[in-house]
Amino acid sequence: MSENEVIEATHISKRYMRRQVLSDVTLTVPEGEVRALIGENGAGKSTFIRIVCGIATATSGTLSLFGQTGSRKLRLARRYLGFVPDTSGAYQDMSALQNLKVRCTEWGIPTTEAMPALKLVGLGDTGKTHVGKFSMGMKRRLDIATALLGDTKLIVMDEPINGLDPLGIIEMRDIIHTLHHKEGKTILLSSHNLNELEKSATSFSFMKKGSIIGYAESKEIAQMPAQTLVIKSFRIGAVTDLLHAHYKDIRCFSVEENTLYIEGMLPNSGEIAELLSQQQIPFHEIYCKKPSLEDYYKVMVQSAEQACLSA
């Protein structure tokens, strides 16, 4: 195993009675990465996270954290792991500072670590306000501050933006960016919000029905060539007829009112704009749409389904 691999899971499987929830999961997370687990409900994301955090045990397979394996060494290695669950475990009738001081006392950590952790997540000025009066976003930030107590090197987040409003999502994105770029933390997280994961994660592991079906790095997705040309016009029917007449190899289809998507061979957008202008067909927008993380995920799922049908 490479020295910089924080998580190494090898052939991890998990069964609850007759239900198989993880099947032969193998993945590694190097130091300094923000790895996102992506998959539908029931894909096994939370189960894998629970195994990493020691909340559940694998039925078979091997887990290594910071190069340590075996139950005793894993227990010691988890001192460097901070977990942010999908629901807050904070005491609602205490202030943020009181919450962290209680956790410090429980875990044998100096209480002097409480305030720096709160300041890092933007809660240093909440004073004596009880957590019960916090917004959902503030509570999530408090959960992260709790996870930072001690010598945390790996932060595991299960649905960190679940239930947050747009401002809370932006704040969470900024905190993840700070933890990654300024604090040097390794992060493992899951979420259903692929748009936010695309902005926050450096790599992605795709899951379906308890198995890993693919992997990609953010730079790999960002460098993918444009595959769709989008044209918006109030005369979309005329646009479609004109393009079909001039370009035999393109495939056009409208998925929204007044919006046309072109796939396959992509003509030059400037060339199309000139052609529409010559024919006096009005349009108000033409642009190339690059594949998104959501597009990439759909391809992974479709490929996995086709492989199952072929097997």
Side-chain angles (χ1 to χ4, degrees):
M1 187 190 79
S2 175
E3 292 182 358
N4 73 336
E5 286 174 357
V6 175
I7 301 174
E8 183 177 32
T10 307
H11 304 303
I12 294 288
S13 294
K14 178 64 177 178
R15 177 183 291 274
Y16 290 106
M17 302 296 286
R18 296 183 178 180
R19 187 164 63 96
Q20 189 79 31
V21 292
L22 289 179
S23 301
D24 199 32
V25 171
T26 295
L27 65 84
T28 59
V29 180
E31 181 181 2
E33 271 201 11
V34 180
R35 174 67 59 82
L37 299 178
I38 297 175
E40 76 276 20
N41 288 334
K45 305 183 302 297
S46 293
T47 299
F48 181 76
I49 283 176
R50 289 168 63 85
I51 290 173
V52 169
C53 295
I55 302 170
T57 57
T59 304
S60 61
T62 303
L63 175 68
S64 170
L65 297 177
F66 304 102
Q68 304 299 310
T69 60
S71 57
R72 187 181 69 83
K73 290 184 177 181
L74 280 174
R75 187 166 57 251
L76 295 174
R78 288 189 177 104
R79 293 180 301 176
Y80 305 106
L81 183 156
F83 178 45
V84 181
D86 58 350
T87 55
S88 179
Y91 297 108
Q92 301 297 299
D93 57 350
M94 291 184 180
S95 69
L97 184 59
Q98 287 172 330
N99 262 276
L100 262 59
K101 285 186 174 181
V102 167
R103 297 303 185 190
C104 286
T105 301
E106 289 177 352
W107 300 336
I109 298 170
T111 56
T112 53
E113 290 194 16
M115 184 52 75
L118 288 177
K119 289 181 177 179
L120 184 60
V121 299
L123 294 178
D125 59 352
T126 53
K128 297 181 180 180
T129 303
H130 286 181
V131 172
K133 297 182 179 180
F134 282 10
S135 67
M136 180 69 74
M138 293 172 70
K139 290 180 180 180
R140 298 305 284 163
R141 284 186 277 156
L142 178 57
D143 293 336
I144 293 176
T146 304
L148 290 171
L149 295 174
D151 189 15
T152 302
K153 294 180 172 63
L154 167 65
I155 301 177
V156 181
M157 303 180 179
D158 193 5
E159 297 287 350
I161 62 175
N162 189 30
L164 298 186
D165 59 22
L167 178 59
I169 291 174
I170 293 172
E171 291 172 343
M172 184 60 62
R173 184 198 312 157
D174 291 342
I175 290 173
I176 292 174
H177 184 274
T178 297
L179 294 175
H180 176 222
H181 291 282
K182 296 182 179 180
E183 301 297 320
K185 307 297 185 184
T186 302
I187 301 174
L188 174 69
L189 57 86
S190 70
S191 175
H192 289 100
N193 192 322
L194 300 190
N195 182 51
E196 280 305 311
L197 289 180
E198 189 167 11
K199 297 174 183 177
S200 302
T202 60
S203 61
F204 312 93
S205 290
F206 302 95
M207 300 186 70
K208 182 177 178 61
K209 294 182 179 179
S211 299
I212 299 291
I213 60 172
Y215 166 83
E217 296 182 2
S218 58
K219 59 183 179 182
E220 176 185 348
I221 295 175
Q223 292 171 357
M224 292 178 66
Q227 295 181 348
T228 306
L229 188 67
V230 182
I231 303 175
K232 296 189 177 183
S233 169
F234 293 113
R235 294 183 58 194
I236 210 66
V239 173
T240 302
D241 293 341
L242 180 64
L243 294 182
H244 274 309
H246 280 76
Y247 303 100
K248 303 301 183 182
D249 297 328
I250 66 173
R251 183 161 54 90
C252 302
F253 59 97
S254 179
V255 296
E256 295 177 6
E257 185 179 1
N258 301 324
T259 302
L260 184 70
Y261 294 82
I262 300 175
E263 293 188 339
M265 184 205 75
L266 298 186
N268 181 276
S269 58
E271 182 181 311
I272 290 181
E274 183 178 356
L275 179 63
L276 293 174
S277 298
Q278 290 174 351
Q279 299 299 317
Q280 297 184 339
I281 298 176
F283 65 93
H284 58 275
E285 196 169 7
I286 297 179
Y287 63 91
C288 289
K289 179 179 179 292
K290 298 188 68 174
S292 65
L293 176 60
E294 181 178 349
D295 297 326
Y296 197 96
Y297 171 59
K298 288 178 180 178
V299 171
M300 288 289 102
V301 172
Q302 290 170 358
S303 296
E305 290 175 346
Q306 289 174 359
C308 289
L309 291 173
S310 301

